[in-house]
Amino acid sequence: MTAPVRLVGLSGSLRSGSYNSALLRAAQTLVPAGVELIAGTIRDIPLYNGDVERDAGLPAAVSELKALIAAADGLMLFTPEYNNGIPGVFKNAIDWLSRPASDIALVFGGRPVAVLGASPGGFGTILSQAAWLPVLRTLGADHWAGERLMVARTGAVFDDDGELVDDAIRRRLETFTAGFADHCRVARAHTKPVS
Ligand code: FNR
């Protein structure tokens, strides 16, 4: 039997009412059979400090998340947008995950990564999604460009409890997640020996 496609999703927001975390939760309910979407967290990752890394090594939250991603078939970044770019807390987490540099290939190298996001504005994180591209290229990740999903005007897409209430967005999220999972399944078949 084929092992399930294992995806890890990260929300780039620490807010309890985060739209991006809500989008990740919605995606978890929509994955097709044979696909798992595990929510990782950046919550306990401190600000990057090279002195801390030198003296104490990686924080446990970083090591644990690195291992989770390294064991996954694909990574989904649910990115907010701040000032037309990547929010600092999210970039900071990825920066920690890229340490030490000798582990970059293990964590990110060739790993399929999908970027999607949600914002109350009219452009739905288009600029922060674009800002991820050079970062992912630098890390040697396989950015999936099969679909785009920029969830705009989130006030009408989620209810006050963070439930996705827009049927068109739900269908697009389902298509996005299934398409990415298919890509990850094919990528896995090309990189891992069949046991
Ligand atoms: C924002 N927001 C925002 N939205 C956007 O679409 N483009 C932007 O450039 C910005 N800039 C920005 C800067 C700062 C400092 C904050 C705090 C917010 C609004 C942002 O999309 C909104 O707060 C979202 O709700 C953040 O995502 P989460 O926390 O809901 O996932």
Side-chain angles (χ1 to χ4, degrees):
M1 208 175 82
T2 316
V5 174
R6 193 168 210 232
L7 307 178
V8 170
L10 291 180
S11 167
S13 173
L14 303 178
R15 233 165 47 84
S16 56
S18 162
Y19 293 119
N20 286 282
S21 301
L23 193 64
L24 168 51
R25 288 194 303 273
Q28 287 182 291
T29 70
L30 296 172
V31 291
V35 179
E36 293 173 354
L37 174 53
I38 299 156
T41 180
I42 65 169
R43 182 162 297 281
D44 298 321
I45 296 181
L47 286 175
Y48 179 76
N49 181 333
D51 295 342
V52 171
E53 183 187 7
R54 182 196 57 215
D55 298 340
L58 297 191
V62 174
S63 299
E64 286 162 17
L65 193 50
K66 278 176 65 177
L68 189 68
I69 295 169
D73 297 307
L75 174 65
M76 298 179 78
L77 301 181
F78 293 74
T79 188
E81 177 174 304
Y82 287 176
N83 296 315
N84 292 350
I86 301 169
V89 291
F90 208 5
K91 179 63 164 49
N92 174 71
I94 297 296
D95 291 341
W96 262 120
L97 293 169
S98 72
R99 302 298 299 164
S102 55
D103 281 354
I104 290 176
L106 178 77
V107 178
F108 293 104
R111 190 167 313 286
V113 179
V115 181
L116 65 170
S119 135
F123 299 100
T125 71
I126 189 168
L127 290 171
S128 63
Q129 291 193 32
W132 276 109
L133 300 181
V135 177
L136 296 174
R137 188 175 60 230
T138 296
L139 296 174
D142 163 28
H143 171 250
W144 182 65
E147 301 272 345
R148 303 293 304 272
L149 187 51
M150 289 150 295
V151 180
R153 312 240 180 262
T154 42
V157 174
F158 297 93
D159 69 13
D160 290 345
D161 297 322
E163 292 291 323
L164 180 57
V165 292
D166 182 310
D167 288 339
I169 296 292
R170 181 180 295 107
R171 282 192 295 275
R172 288 184 57 202
L173 181 61
E174 192 166 13
T175 302
F176 185 105
T177 307
F180 181 57
D182 282 347
H183 174 76
C184 293
R185 188 180 287 108
V186 171
R188 180 174 70 181
H190 283 97
T191 54
K192 287 189 185 164
V194 178
S195 52

